[in-house]
Amino acid sequence: MKFRNLLLYFMALSLVAFTACDDDDDDDETGSVRVEITDAPVDDTEVESVFVTIADIRVDGESLDGYDKTTINLMAYQQGNTKLLTTSDLEADTYGSMTLILDFDENDNGTSPGCYVEETDGTQHKLTSTSSDIDVLDGFTISGNTQTDLVIDFDLRKTIKRESGGNDDYDFVAESNMSTAIRIADKNQTGVISGSCNDAVTGSDQVIVYAYHKGYYDRAVETTGSADSDLKFHNAVSSAEVDSNNDYELHFLTQGEYELVFATYQRDPSTGQLELTGTLLVDTSVNLESVMVDATVTTTVNVDATGILPL
């Protein structure tokens, strides 16, 4: 009887030890993370390229292992195209932020500048901001023994401004605005809105479609510019130009309901810049105030312009 009790004791002790080891293994699980980058178009016809040098990428303050300083022309990665920045391993956990460390002075070849706008005539303008550290407070989860694909949407329309004073120089917006102009999404949890916009009635030089989270579009506010800049449609999640074939694509939208706004622009003959003239009145079978986006699904929204709602 004593032997049996002793045997049961050791069996129970072994089970506790095994469970503890198993818990330790769970705590030590890691997952793979791929970090890609993409861009939304900039509202300036004079801009040919925008080069950005990312010196480091940090997750909750810790640098990603294996990342090498990278200079990228963001305007080469639009319409759902992405550039792979790095693949790294992280502990399985939920993370609260990602920080991009920009190098304004030197690119990945050691030459100057590190971040700059190049205009269509070849003129370069160095880009700087109030801080080189851009904190993006979009949380994400890494699961053990799986790969997570994260996409950084570096919205040039929101991150670059023309300097005041009448010159044509460019600069990054202030640090606080940079943080809200860049978003991070789990690629496998995003969908696409695409379709056509046939505008044969307004004579617009350019139509741009803006996607808002449902309930966040306020026409009076969005068409007059934000409080600290002249940026219009500043609360839009993403935007896309309607191309010469009347097609558009909005990529990497997280699941949920969206509102779509089609804005019309005319080119100023003296400056060549696009000027907002209004928003389109359209005929469509889709409720533009409630467009559902599901993960890994493309939602089609076709519209035909019937007129313009001027500013």
Side-chain angles (χ1 to χ4, degrees):
M1 190 68 174
K2 290 183 178 180
F3 176 76
R4 181 185 177 188
N5 290 340
L6 188 62
L7 180 60
L8 290 173
Y9 170 77
F10 280 113
M11 289 175 64
L13 188 63
S14 298
L15 180 60
V16 171
F18 176 79
T19 302
C21 290
D22 189 54
D23 288 342
D24 289 343
D25 289 342
D26 289 343
D27 291 341
D28 293 338
E29 276 191 349
T30 62
S32 174
V33 59
R34 282 170 51 93
V35 181
E36 305 171 54
I37 194 166
T38 190
D39 163 49
V42 61
D43 292 349
D44 194 328
T45 57
E46 297 300 308
V47 175
E48 179 71 21
S49 306
V50 178
F51 288 87
V52 172
T53 298
I54 303 174
D56 193 17
I57 301 176
R58 298 172 186 166
V59 173
D60 284 358
E62 298 294 328
S63 296
L64 284 179
D65 290 338
Y67 176 73
D68 295 321
K69 182 177 181 179
T70 301
T71 300
I72 177 176
N73 175 16
L74 286 171
M75 291 188 67
Y77 298 93
Q78 299 179 353
Q79 299 272 17
N81 295 313
T82 63
K83 165 74 173 178
L84 177 63
L85 294 177
T86 189
T87 299
S88 186
D89 291 331
L90 286 175
E91 289 186 7
D93 205 345
T94 297
Y95 296 88
S97 68
M98 181 178 288
T99 303
L100 305 181
I101 313 298
L102 305 185
D103 190 333
F104 303 134
D105 298 320
E106 292 186 351
N107 64 19
D108 53 11
N109 290 321
T111 57
S112 180
C115 300
Y116 63 94
V117 165
E118 184 172 18
E119 293 185 292
T120 53
D121 64 0
T123 304
Q124 294 183 1
H125 303 275
K126 182 179 178 179
L127 295 172
T128 60
S129 184
T130 52
S131 174
S132 61
D133 296 8
I134 311 301
D135 294 318
V136 186
L137 304 179
D138 289 334
F140 57 89
T141 299
I142 302 298
S143 299
N145 301 314
T146 61
Q147 177 177 293
T148 301
D149 298 324
L150 299 180
V151 177
I152 302 170
D153 187 355
F154 201 115
D155 195 335
L156 291 178
R157 187 181 71 85
K158 296 182 180 181
T159 54
I160 294 176
K161 63 178 181 179
R162 280 183 178 267
E163 289 280 36
S164 59
N167 56 44
D168 287 334
D169 291 339
Y170 298 83
D171 224 336
F172 282 129
V173 297
E175 175 192 359
S176 58
N177 292 332
M178 287 283 284
S179 294
T180 58
I182 301 172
R183 64 188 181 96
I184 297 171
D186 185 331
K187 191 174 182 179
N188 294 322
Q189 298 299 317
T190 66
V192 177
I193 299 176
S194 69
S196 63
C197 174
N198 297 304
D199 178 15
V201 297
T202 69
S204 301
D205 290 325
Q206 182 68 66
V207 175
I208 297 178
V209 54
Y210 297 94
Y212 287 80
H213 288 301
K214 181 177 173 59
Y216 280 78
Y217 176 64
D218 182 329
R219 188 176 192 273
V221 173
E222 296 298 296
T223 58
T224 56
S226 61
D228 54 355
S229 77
D230 190 41
L231 178 66
K232 298 174 177 60
F233 304 102
H234 53 282
N235 286 316
V237 175
S238 187
S239 63
E241 295 178 354
V242 176
D243 65 23
S244 58
N245 294 319
N246 299 325
D247 296 325
Y248 70 91
E249 298 177 2
L250 294 157
H251 288 263
F252 308 119
L253 300 173
T254 55
Q255 299 180 86
E257 287 186 272
Y258 290 83
E259 297 182 53
L260 297 185
V261 179
F262 293 82
T264 61
Y265 292 81
Q266 293 285 354
R267 185 168 284 103
D268 187 319
S270 61
T271 65
Q273 298 302 304
L274 291 174
E275 301 290 341
L276 177 67
T277 56
T279 54
L280 285 182
L281 300 171
V282 299
D283 180 23
T284 179
S285 61
V286 178
N287 180 4
L288 297 184
E289 295 183 358
S290 182
V291 180
M292 179 60 68
V293 172
D294 294 315
T296 70
V297 174
T298 297
T299 301
T300 301
V301 179
N302 298 324
V303 302
D304 293 309
T306 59
I308 184 172
L309 185 62
L311 297 180

